[in-house]
């Protein structure tokens, strides 16, 4: 992810003119690749007393084919909501004056490259003096953030500002919200709950953690190619080739869909459980979902719940793009060919060189045939740039559905091993909204050991294996899982665990909140009447109940698994042979 951030200060009316009257001490431009960075950037603007200019999102900015109906920011977010929600915290304007835009195009700004762990003192001691002297500075962010997650107690208000920006100011535009809530409505139309599952099979994450050997085809080469790029960019300081199976056992690689299906079976989810597949795309293709679909036939995603027109309406009016690499040679009339032949000069003539080999579609998209012949990945086509912008919309829809889900299971989440990801933000948002929502927080290292111990009878596990899976996953959705998330994920991603800084307690809720909230501040008086505190879901069960239920599971029962109504709030009976 790359973020370009420019800070500007105007020192007098001689150079600035009247157009600067609406700016405060400093002004700030944000161009970011991933919208998850905005919360950090809002806090930096407040820290430097800067005026924030509406950010531009890199994926939509690079694509020249998106609808002119939307600006870069409004393609995803509701601008008016963003302005209104933060008007008392940070001064925000929509555009820069023309003179500053020209200076920005000429790259006349000093450049900083702050790390994700940059402290507030970095901005006050390093950035601010340069800003005062040069009037304009630029930031280039490449590792998922620009402000450290743990701040001093004296800066607690900046943590709360991050929460206001992430969970209240950043609202998707109305069309995305409407379709996302419509998908949730259709998922619950039968009266049954649903589970959202995000596989986490993303090329960058697989390359970063060295998981190429999990795939046995061209995708392994694609992951290694991307890993080589990250090494050249110094995002990775390791060897190109690593033992992916060792990384898997260490918990660094995502759970495969087949493994998730086996875990859900062990938890007692019946085969008719409705599972929503989140994620704009799965690296490796739909074939990876075949084992999961065999175990759970009611597997759906946005394409199966929305018709094509509903999805197209999110784009707005777009111009058609021509596939320049598929253009055929211009046809010539026989008369024109004869005239060229007559003017060609004396014979015999040497044969012209053979034409360049044409570039086919599969070499630009899909199968990535360039790997066999080139060392450098081809530049994205206009269609691919547009698809990247579209994937922002798909991710927004999946985010809405995942936050609203009755249960959420991440195939991969950043537990202290990299930059923030989709699952981390969903888990943090669900924790912020209602702590008792059923959100699984699996320990992939522990589960990898369990799968390794049952490799010979994976589809017919022993009773002890099922009991171990249930015990671990039940603990992961309770206080023990929250404490693990606090210990591992929060130091690297504040929004994955936004409590207790972004929570408050009422006068009678101290005993209910428990130790996971720590020393939370008391809520303002005006919130007392409208605030409802939900208890953390209790998931512990007695060992005797577990043994009795497991005994029932070991008995053959062909009808129980299909007749039982799916429930995501308690364990269901399951036949391991289903």
């Amino acid at each position: 992810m790359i973020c370009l951030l420019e800070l500007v200060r105007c020192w007098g009316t001689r150079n600035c003119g009247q157009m600067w009257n609406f700016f405060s001490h400093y002004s700030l431009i944000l161009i970011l690749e991933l919208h998850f960075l905005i919360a950090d950037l809002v806090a930096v603007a407040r820290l430097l007393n800067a005026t924030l200019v509406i950010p531009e999102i890199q994926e939509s900015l690079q694509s020249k084919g998106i609808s002119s109906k939307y600006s870069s920011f409004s393609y995803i977010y509701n601008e008016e909501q963003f302005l209104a929600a933060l008007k008392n915290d940070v001064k925000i304007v929509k555009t820069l004056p023309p003179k500053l835009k020209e200076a920005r195009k000429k790259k006349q700004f000093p450049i900083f490259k702050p790390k994700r762990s940059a402290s507030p003192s970095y901005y006050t001691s390093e950035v601010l003096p340069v800003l005062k002297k040069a009037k304009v500075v630029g930031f280039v962010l490449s590792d998922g953030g620009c402000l450290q997650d743990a701040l001093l107690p004296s800066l607690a208000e900046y943590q709360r500002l991050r929460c206001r920006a992430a969970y209240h100011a950043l609202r998707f535009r109305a069309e995305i919200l409407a379709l996302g809530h419509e998908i949730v409505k259709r998922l619950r139309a039968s009266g049954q709950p649903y589970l959202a599952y995000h596989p986490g099979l993303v090329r960058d994450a697989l390359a970063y953690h060295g998981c190429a050997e999990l795939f046995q085809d061209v995708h392994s080469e694609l992951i290694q190619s991307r890993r080589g790029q990250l090494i050249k960019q110094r995002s990775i300081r390791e060897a190109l080739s690593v033992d992916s199976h060792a990384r898997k056992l260490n918990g660094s690689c995502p759970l495969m869909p087949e493994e998730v299906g086996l875990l859900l079976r062990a938890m007692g989810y019946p085969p008719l459980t409705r599972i929503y597949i989140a994620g704009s795309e799965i690296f490796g293709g739909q074939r990876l979902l075949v084992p999961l679909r065999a175990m759970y036939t009611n597997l759906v995603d946005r394409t199966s719940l929305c018709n094509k027109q509903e999805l197209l309406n999110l784009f707005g009016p777009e111009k058609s793009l021509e596939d320049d690499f598929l253009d055929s040679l211009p046809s010539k009339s026989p008369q024109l060919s004869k005239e060229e032949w007559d003017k060609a000069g004396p014979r015999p003539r040497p044969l012209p060189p053979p034409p360049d080999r044409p570039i086919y579609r599969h070499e630009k998209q899909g199968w990535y045939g360039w790997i066999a012949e080139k060392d450098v990945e081809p530049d994205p086509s206009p269609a691919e740039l547009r698809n990247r912008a579209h994937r922002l919309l798909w991710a927004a829809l999946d985010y809405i559905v995942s936050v609203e889900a009755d249960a959420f299971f991440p195939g991969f989440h950043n537990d202290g091993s990299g930059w923030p990801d989709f699952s981390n933000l969903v888990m943090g948002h669900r924790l912020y909204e209602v702590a008792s929502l059923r959100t699984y927080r699996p320990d992939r290292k522990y589960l990898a050991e369990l799968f390794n111990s049952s490799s010979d009878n994976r589809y017919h596990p022993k009773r002890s294996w099922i009991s171990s899976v249930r015990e671990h996953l039940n603990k992961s959705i309770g206080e023990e899982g929250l404490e693990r998330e606090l210990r591992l994920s929060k130091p690297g991603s504040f929004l994955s665990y936004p409590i207790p800084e972004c929570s408050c307690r009422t006068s009678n809720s101290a005993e209910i909140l428990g130790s996971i909230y720590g020393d939370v501040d008391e809520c303002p008086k005006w919130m007392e009447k409208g605030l409802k505190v939900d208890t953390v879901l209790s998931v512990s069960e007695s060992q005797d109940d577990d043994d009795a239920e497991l005994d029932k599971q070991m008995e053959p029962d062909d009808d129980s698994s299909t007749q039982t109504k799916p429930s995501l709030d308690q364990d269901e009976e399951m036949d391991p042979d289903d």
Side-chain angles (χ1 to χ4, degrees), residues 420-535:
D421 57 17
F422 180 94
S423 292
N424 265 102
L425 290 164
V426 170
M427 294 162 69
H429 199 155
R430 289 167 65 87
L431 181 60
Y432 177 78
E433 293 286 350
V434 183
S436 61
L437 288 175
R438 180 167 283 249
T439 304
Y440 291 98
R441 299 172 179 85
D443 182 346
R444 294 188 302 278
K445 182 178 180 180
Y446 177 78
L447 293 177
E449 294 174 354
L450 284 181
F451 279 115
N452 194 41
S453 66
S454 64
S455 57
D456 296 335
N457 52 356
R458 178 168 289 191
Y459 275 83
H460 300 280
K462 296 180 179 180
R463 170 184 168 183
S464 59
W465 188 89
I466 297 176
S467 178
S468 297
V469 170
R470 287 193 172 187
E471 181 181 4
H472 172 70
L473 292 181
N474 279 332
K475 287 181 178 179
S476 75
I477 61 179
E479 188 168 339
E480 184 173 318
L482 290 172
E483 290 176 350
R484 180 178 180 273
E485 197 76 13
L486 170 64
R487 185 177 68 257
L488 295 179
S489 295
K490 185 169 184 174
S493 174
F494 169 72
L495 294 181
S496 68
Y497 198 95
I499 59 175
E501 295 91 340
C502 296
S503 303
C504 63
R505 60 179 174 83
T506 56
S507 56
N508 60 349
S509 64
E511 297 180 0
I512 300 176
L513 291 177
S515 61
I516 61 171
Y517 279 81
D519 297 327
V520 296
D521 297 330
E522 188 171 350
C523 293
K525 296 299 181 183
W526 59 267
M527 294 181 65
E528 289 281 351
K529 295 183 179 180
L531 188 65
K532 295 182 180 180
V533 179
D534 294 287
T535 60

Side-chain angles (χ1 to χ4, degrees), residues 384-441:
E384 174 60 22
L385 291 175
R386 174 181 282 183
N387 288 336
R388 290 181 183 179
H390 290 173
R391 283 196 286 269
L392 291 175
L393 303 179
W394 307 148
L397 287 177
D398 291 341
Y399 187 85
I400 295 170
V401 178
S402 298
V403 170
E404 295 288 335
D406 299 280
F408 178 73
F409 196 103
F412 177 83
H413 68 290
N414 166 30
D415 45 2
S417 56
W419 50 68
D421 57 17
F422 180 94
S423 292
N424 265 102
L425 290 164
V426 170
M427 294 162 69
H429 199 155
R430 289 167 65 87
L431 181 60
Y432 177 78
E433 293 286 350
V434 183
S436 61
L437 288 175
R438 180 167 283 249
T439 304
Y440 291 98
R441 299 172 179 85

Side-chain angles (χ1 to χ4, degrees), residues 290-458:
V290 171
L292 178 61
R293 198 177 296 276
M295 288 180 272
Y296 291 94
T297 57
N298 206 357
L299 217 62
V300 296
D301 59 12
R302 65 178 182 279
T303 59
S304 57
L305 293 169
C306 303
N307 59 52
K308 186 176 182 180
Q309 189 58 45
E310 287 177 322
L311 296 175
L312 290 176
N313 288 340
L314 292 183
F315 303 155
E318 293 180 334
K319 296 180 181 179
S320 59
L321 295 177
E322 296 182 359
D323 293 331
D324 52 350
F325 50 88
L326 293 178
D327 288 345
S328 58
L329 294 174
S331 59
K332 296 181 180 180
S333 64
Q335 182 180 359
L336 180 59
S337 298
K338 185 178 184 304
E339 291 177 358
E340 291 181 352
W341 178 264
D342 294 338
K343 298 177 181 178
R347 281 89 170 165
R349 299 187 309 276
L351 293 176
D356 293 337
R357 188 180 65 82
I359 300 176
Y360 298 99
R361 179 186 294 272
H362 70 272
E363 296 182 2
K364 286 280 189 176
Q365 299 170 324
W367 295 106
Y368 298 95
W370 55 268
I371 292 180
E373 300 181 0
K374 301 178 181 179
D375 295 330
V376 180
E377 188 167 351
D379 295 332
S381 65
E384 174 60 22
L385 291 175
R386 174 181 282 183
N387 288 336
R388 290 181 183 179
H390 290 173
R391 283 196 286 269
L392 291 175
L393 303 179
W394 307 148
L397 287 177
D398 291 341
Y399 187 85
I400 295 170
V401 178
S402 298
V403 170
E404 295 288 335
D406 299 280
F408 178 73
F409 196 103
F412 177 83
H413 68 290
N414 166 30
D415 45 2
S417 56
W419 50 68
D421 57 17
F422 180 94
S423 292
N424 265 102
L425 290 164
V426 170
M427 294 162 69
H429 199 155
R430 289 167 65 87
L431 181 60
Y432 177 78
E433 293 286 350
V434 183
S436 61
L437 288 175
R438 180 167 283 249
T439 304
Y440 291 98
R441 299 172 179 85
D443 182 346
R444 294 188 302 278
K445 182 178 180 180
Y446 177 78
L447 293 177
E449 294 174 354
L450 284 181
F451 279 115
N452 194 41
S453 66
S454 64
S455 57
D456 296 335
N457 52 356
R458 178 168 289 191

Side-chain angles (χ1 to χ4, degrees), residues 145-164:
C146 62
L147 184 63
Q148 67 183 42
D149 293 275
L151 299 179
L152 296 173
S154 59
L155 298 175
E157 177 55 34
Y158 289 89
Q159 300 290 60
R160 289 191 284 269
L161 176 59
R162 279 164 144 174
C163 284
R164 286 197 294 276

Side-chain angles (χ1 to χ4, degrees), residues 2-51:
I2 299 174
C3 174
L4 176 62
L5 178 69
E6 290 139 8
L7 299 176
V8 186
R9 183 174 184 181
C10 188
W11 286 93
T13 56
R14 178 178 179 182
N15 296 326
C16 302
Q18 296 298 321
M19 59 185 176
W20 286 101
N21 290 339
F22 59 88
F23 278 81
S24 65
H25 301 319
Y26 318 107
S27 61
L28 178 67
I29 302 177
L30 311 172
I31 301 178
L32 53 139
E33 181 174 327
L34 293 179
H35 53 282
F36 302 138
L37 304 174
I38 299 178
D40 280 2
L41 299 177
V42 169
V44 170
R46 172 74 172 268
L47 183 67
L48 297 176
N49 194 22
T51 296

